[in-house]
Amino acid sequence: MKIAGAGNVLSKEEAFRISQKLERFCDAASVIYLRSEILSDMHSSGDIGLSTADLKLHLADRRTAADVSALIEASLSQSESYALAIVDHHADGSMHQNGQSRLCEILREMCAPSAGEPEADQQGSPTHQIWIGSPGDGHAVLHVSLIGRHIWIVFEVENLERCVETWAHLA
């Protein structure tokens, strides 16, 4: 994004006014796509620079519980196409399961809290763990931990890349 004033030089007043607009834009945006080929050395006199890292941090701080919940539901929906079993365990004791009953039973047993189990951080950011058995096993398990919710998914190892793709946006 390049912003210029009259004669391609911004006064301090114009720069301040434009920065206020950018801040309101960032506050209202739910998603901003950044081109990877943005160059950091393109700034010249009168330009306003905003690093992509700063922008990502600014947006990351604004993720709400509703945003995370919507992303989780979308990931669960996408997972159904390749998962062999899914168990979604809520803090209130409710549990939703889908898939092969034998695998769901194993996942229910894994839902019991353990001392070393990762928990979501205080901001509600999910944590992820993936377990893969011996080379001949062929199955893997994904565990997504959130405050008040644990999601367990069994999938075939050849779907590992697909699974990571589906859940990576929650990191």
Side-chain angles (χ1 to χ4, degrees):
M1 179 185 309
K2 183 174 180 176
I3 300 170
N8 286 337
V9 177
L10 291 174
S11 68
K12 287 184 180 181
E13 294 80 20
E14 287 175 313
F16 178 77
R17 183 177 46 78
I18 291 169
S19 69
Q20 294 300 305
K21 286 183 181 180
L22 281 172
E23 189 174 328
R24 284 194 300 275
F25 171 77
C26 289
D27 284 342
S30 59
V31 176
I32 294 179
Y33 295 97
L34 300 171
R35 291 178 52 150
S36 60
E37 55 269 17
I38 292 174
L39 300 177
S40 59
D41 60 351
M42 292 179 61
H43 302 293
S44 61
S45 178
D47 290 346
I48 297 175
L50 179 64
S51 79
T52 57
D54 288 345
L55 183 56
K56 286 179 182 177
L57 286 173
H58 179 79
L59 292 174
D61 288 343
R62 302 224 180 324
R63 185 181 277 186
T64 67
D67 294 335
V68 173
S69 181
L71 291 171
I72 289 166
E73 295 310 318
S75 294
L76 277 170
S77 176
Q78 291 170 25
S79 298
E80 288 179 0
S81 63
Y82 62 83
L84 301 172
I86 299 174
V87 171
D88 185 0
H89 184 251
H90 295 259
D92 64 5
S94 64
M95 193 178 299
H96 304 284
Q97 60 187 44
N98 188 6
Q100 298 177 17
S101 58
R102 183 185 62 78
L103 292 174
C104 284
E105 185 178 325
I106 293 168
L107 292 179
R108 283 194 310 272
E109 290 172 11
M110 293 176 76
C111 286
S114 65
E117 185 174 291
E119 288 294 334
D121 64 28
Q122 294 305 313
Q123 284 76 38
S125 298
T127 61
H128 305 73
Q129 285 187 328
I130 294 179
W131 293 277
I132 298 175
S134 60
D137 191 1
H139 291 130
V141 175
L142 166 71
H143 175 213
V144 179
S145 174
L146 301 121
I147 294 175
R149 190 171 180 185
H150 292 272
I151 299 166
W152 300 84
I153 300 174
V154 175
F155 56 94
E156 292 176 344
V157 174
E158 55 249 20
N159 285 320
L160 176 63
E161 190 175 325
R162 205 164 156 206
C163 180
V164 170
E165 242 177 64
T166 301
W167 290 90
H169 60 278
L170 282 170

